[in-house]
Amino acid sequence: MDDINLHYRFLNWRRRIREIREVRAVRYKERLKRMLRDGDILRYHGNSDEVGCFVAARPLSRRNRYFEVTIVDTGVRGMIAVGLVPQLYKLDHQPGWLPHSVAFHADDGKLYNGNTVGQQFGPKCCRGDRIGCGISLDSDDGQLTVFFTKNGKEVGNVEIPASPEALYPAVGMHSLGEEVLLDLNAEWGMEDDDGQMIVDSHEEDWGRLHDVKVIGTLLEYMGKGKSIVDVGLAQARRPLNTRFHYYELEITDAGEKCYIALGLARRDYPKNRHPGWSRGSIAYHADDGKLFQGSGVGDAFGPRCFEGDIMGCGIMFPRDFNPDGGDDVDDWDLDMFPKPSEVQNDLYANNEDEEEDEAEDLEGKKVMVFFTRNGKVVGRREVALPVGGFYPTIGMMSTGEKVRVDLHPLSG
């Protein structure tokens, strides 16, 4: 009976993942008109009588709250606009012209806030200038603070009645020859006294970092990438639980060899071992599509993953799951496990070997771990939950690798 129930729960999970994928396919699709996109380059492709507009696939969020545009060529008139618009914004209008949109225009330095008449706001922008747009994290009461920057310095801000999920990065153009470089993953922070940028690093999400640099939600491999001990490891501060039971990463740069692994591991997992290689861990490896479970030898499991692919990992907890073994609970208490007082970042430390505590009893309750690729379930494996839980753990091992992580993709 338990096997039958587990089978039906797994089918429900597959349906849920498929639904999420279908929603994303519709929701997360960029829109553009009279524009050509070549990688991160946007070019005007009209006759100067009509507006060209680009709307990004994803809205700004509290985790990804800023983007930038660098003017490569101002063209004939330099009528380039940078701002935020609703998802279904009319693409024959400049950002800021229609209701519920706001934009900074490079040709006149004016702010357009849902109106074709602009207000004087900042300096004009020309070739080589970098225009940024972002949202403030302390906005509330239905009001959202949108700010604009020029070459890394804030120009000004405006409050609008909106939520972050309703505003998408947008770029408008209106004359021949206009061209910009788009960076939808830019980071923003105020400058300190030394003029260095302070980035919202999200390091508080991570309990252990070794040869990995955190830039917002982006993880970048910083190791040597020369041997199997040159692993870069990132382990989340908190384990998966019945409330937050799934996480994802997007491969934004496969690096030299795409030695990227996504999985789960015990809290004291060795820092120079890929997830899945040592006891108390399980991982799906992008380079060969194999599943590694406490061994350096993997099993054929799923397809290989490449740049742009989204890999996911989650746990199907039993319905009566209780980490304490006491009364049944609906949610895993996120504070029940001790956490380090600050992130342990061994970015520039030597790769000395870590001793494993052979005396530790890793066997615990059985849970079903599953993996996904681009929203489709790849497979599952029943494993024993380590004492203290399974922590989201990511490994990288070749130069240039970068991934963007969402620890709570199913929330909200």
Side-chain angles (χ1 to χ4, degrees):
M1 183 62 71
D2 289 341
D3 290 340
I4 294 175
N5 288 335
L6 187 59
H7 174 71
Y8 280 112
R9 290 191 65 212
F10 182 67
L11 291 179
N12 287 334
W13 261 104
R14 293 188 63 177
R15 178 178 56 80
R16 171 66 172 150
I17 293 296
R18 185 170 62 251
E19 289 173 351
I20 292 171
R21 183 169 178 262
E22 291 172 352
V23 169
R24 285 177 174 172
V26 175
R27 182 179 179 186
Y28 298 133
K29 183 178 181 180
E30 68 181 30
R31 302 170 61 237
L32 69 166
K33 186 175 183 180
R34 302 187 188 96
M35 290 258 202
L36 292 178
R37 182 171 183 180
D38 182 9
D40 292 330
I41 294 291
L42 287 176
R43 297 185 179 93
Y44 179 71
H45 193 61
N47 59 13
S48 291
D49 292 330
E50 299 171 309
V51 169
C53 189
F54 164 86
V55 179
R58 294 174 181 266
L60 290 187
S61 66
R62 295 192 179 277
R63 285 183 173 271
N64 186 23
R65 63 189 184 99
Y66 179 74
F67 76 102
E68 286 185 339
V69 165
T70 301
I71 300 176
V72 177
D73 197 324
T74 55
V76 176
R77 291 178 291 185
M79 301 178 71
I80 297 169
V82 178
L84 301 172
V85 302
Q87 182 186 19
L88 300 180
Y89 192 77
K90 294 182 178 179
L91 298 180
D92 52 358
H93 290 71
Q94 283 275 29
W97 282 2
L98 297 180
H100 313 297
S101 70
V102 61
F104 179 40
H105 287 220
D107 60 314
D108 56 14
K110 290 184 177 181
L111 179 75
Y112 290 77
N113 187 4
N115 198 305
T116 55
V117 178
Q119 300 175 334
Q120 200 56 50
F121 186 69
K124 297 180 181 180
C125 301
C126 54
R127 181 175 181 177
D129 283 336
R130 195 172 77 252
I131 303 172
C133 176
I135 56 175
S136 174
L137 291 177
D138 54 5
S139 304
D140 54 14
D141 297 330
Q143 294 289 314
L144 189 68
T145 301
V146 178
F147 65 90
F148 293 90
T149 67
K150 178 185 177 185
N151 298 330
K153 295 183 177 180
E154 186 170 343
V155 174
N157 62 74
V158 60
E159 284 196 358
I160 61 174
S163 63
E165 300 80 14
L167 296 175
Y168 290 68
V171 179
M173 299 184 195
H174 202 174
S175 74
L176 293 173
E178 292 171 350
E179 181 176 322
V180 300
L181 176 67
L182 179 67
D183 185 359
L184 292 174
N185 299 317
E187 298 291 338
W188 166 254
M190 297 302 293
E191 296 183 351
D192 62 14
D193 294 338
D194 296 329
Q196 297 179 337
M197 193 70 75
I198 299 174
V199 176
D200 181 14
S201 69
H202 287 266
E203 282 201 352
E204 68 275 6
D205 292 336
W206 302 98
R208 301 175 64 210
L209 294 168
H210 172 69
D211 279 348
V212 171
K213 180 170 69 174
V214 180
I215 309 173
T217 58
L218 191 75
L219 299 183
E220 180 179 358
Y221 176 66
M222 302 297 288
K224 300 175 182 177
K226 297 183 180 296
S227 71
I228 62 171
V229 298
D230 293 331
V231 172
L233 192 80
Q235 187 173 71
R237 183 178 292 276
R238 301 184 188 265
L240 291 188
N241 55 80
T242 54
R243 182 183 303 165
F244 299 118
H245 44 256
Y246 177 75
Y247 80 104
E248 290 181 335
L249 68 76
E250 177 184 358
I251 302 175
T252 60
D253 194 327
E256 290 186 358
K257 299 181 179 179
C258 199
Y259 287 157
I260 296 169
L262 163 130
L264 303 169
R266 68 181 195 264
R267 183 175 176 179
D268 60 345
Y269 192 77
K271 67 185 180 184
N272 58 354
R273 298 282 289 171
H274 240 341
W277 283 0
S278 294
R279 294 181 311 110
S281 70
I282 182 171
Y284 178 29
H285 286 220
D287 62 308
D288 56 14
K290 291 184 177 181
L291 183 74
F292 291 76
Q293 184 181 349
S295 171
V297 179
D299 299 326
F301 185 67
R304 297 170 60 193
C305 300
F306 305 93
E307 187 169 315
D309 283 336
I310 297 176
M311 304 172 67
C313 177
I315 297 177
M316 288 189 293
F317 291 96
R319 291 187 182 278
D320 59 349
F321 179 77
N322 179 3
D324 286 328
D327 296 333
D328 289 345
V329 293
D330 292 331
D331 296 309
W332 189 324
D333 183 0
L334 297 182
D335 295 320
M336 67 174 291
F337 301 109
K339 55 182 180 290
S341 57
E342 59 183 16
V343 66
Q344 304 166 20
N345 195 336
D346 301 316
L347 184 58
Y348 302 108
N350 294 325
N351 284 327
E352 66 271 10
D353 292 335
E354 275 193 14
E355 294 293 333
E356 295 189 24
D357 185 2
E358 296 293 338
E360 181 182 5
D361 179 12
L362 292 176
E363 295 299 320
K365 301 174 178 64
K366 296 288 186 178
V367 295
M368 189 65 70
V369 175
F370 66 95
F371 294 89
T372 67
R373 177 179 180 267
N374 298 328
K376 291 185 177 180
V377 176
V378 174
R380 55 178 176 158
R381 184 70 61 88
E382 187 178 57
V383 297
L385 191 70
V387 174
F390 261 140
Y391 290 73
T393 305
I394 296 166
M396 294 183 275
M397 206 173 63
S398 76
T399 304
E401 292 170 348
K402 298 177 184 178
V403 299
R404 186 167 300 280
V405 182
D406 189 346
L407 292 173
H408 307 303
L410 301 184
S411 63

